[in-house]
Structure formats: structure tokens, C-alpha cells
Amino acid sequence: MAWDILNIIGTMAFAISGAIVALEEEYDLFGVYLLGFVTAFGGGTIRNILLDLPISDIWNQSMLFTIAFITMTLLFFIPFHWVLGFKKLWGVFFDAIGLASFAVQGALFAVMAGYPMSAVIVGGVLTGVGGGVIRDMLAGRKPLVLHQEIYAMWAVLGAMAVGFGIATTMWQFILLIIGIVSLRMLSVIYQWSLPSRFDWLRQLKKLKRQGE
């Protein structure tokens, strides 16, 4: 039950996220479907390849493909942008929902398959960020996971919560997803970031000047 709900939430959110990127780039209907599908199913495909799981499982999800198709079709033909607008934060919001849902689902998948914690984290992160990376590359954008705002770390925390048994019930999964989405949005709004090599070198230069 939890598995199916997480699958549906993540698929819809990432399908919307991919479709929004395609509409922002002014792609045609085929481009909307292409980006939506690769965003929704790309992460699971990469996860299955690296964890040596059957790729055929991805193609046996006809209901999820139908849900993604209907979601993208509605977004393309119904002028939601008249009310919502295609602002950056809407794309980030739906991407955050997909990231959180699939990170938890991917980690749960690895736990159910009996993999160790390292594989649980890898499964959660790849499922959460994989589709978005493919989407951004096809759209000619720098993948979100490489941006300064904290992105993949929230997937790591979600996977660890599942791997360590902190979240085991559907309600706990939902609360975990809400927490990840909230942290992701806050990291964008307040520009939280992980240190880069440039930040480290700048700090060393500052300490050097203070010591002179």
C-alpha cells in the first residue's frame, strides 16, 4: 500500500515537473511528454540498473504510465498558467515532491530487497534525483543536483530515515516527505548551500590575511 501511494505521488509530481520545464522551454506536445516521462521514470530505471534489479519492472507499471500521461495532457491543454503562472518556485515545488517521494520509495525498495545501508542510500538518492538529471540534460540546463542549493542531501537524509527504521509506516513516510519538501523549498528560498572548493579557498585566504 505504502509502495503504491509513494509511486503515484512521485510519478505525478515528476511528470508535472518535467512538463513545466518543457513548457518553459516552449517545447511542443511531444517534448512535454518526453521530458515528463523521463523525469517520472528515469530515476527508477537508473536505480534498477545499479542495484542489479530487473529493468522490465519499469515497463510493467501501465497504471503509472497512464497517470503520468493524463497528468501531462491536462497540464498541456488546460491553461493553469493563467492562475498559477510558470514561476520558478512551482517547478521547484513539484520537483521537491518528486524528489522526496521517490527518495523514500527507492530506499524502501532497497530495504525490502535486503540490501545494506549503503545501497539503501544509493537507491534512495538515484531514484530521487535520476529523472531530474536526465530532464535537465535534455532541456539543456545544469542539473539541479549540481546547483549550490542543497538538493541531493535531502534525499540522503530521507533514505537514511528509512534505512535506520525511523520511518516504517505510511503516516511516517508522509511526514518524512513533508519534511524533505519543506527543507528543499527553504534551501531554495534562503539559498542554503553546501560549501564548494571556492568557498574553502576563500576562507583559507581570509585566515591567511588575518594571520599577517
Side-chain angles (χ1 to χ4, degrees), residues 8 10-11 19 39 42 57 171:
I8 292 172
T11 298
T39 309
D57 290 348
W171 283 111

Side-chain angles (χ1 to χ4, degrees), residues 48-86:
N48 283 20
I49 291 174
L50 293 183
L51 296 183
D52 195 27
L53 299 170
I55 301 298
S56 59
D57 290 348
I58 302 295
W59 306 113
N60 294 329
Q61 304 177 100
S62 58
M63 183 188 72
L64 294 179
F65 277 94
T66 302
I67 290 174
F69 178 80
I70 293 173
T71 300
M72 290 182 287
T73 302
L74 291 175
L75 189 65
F76 184 87
F77 286 105
I78 298 178
F80 293 108
H81 63 283
W82 290 357
V83 178
L84 302 178
F86 287 131

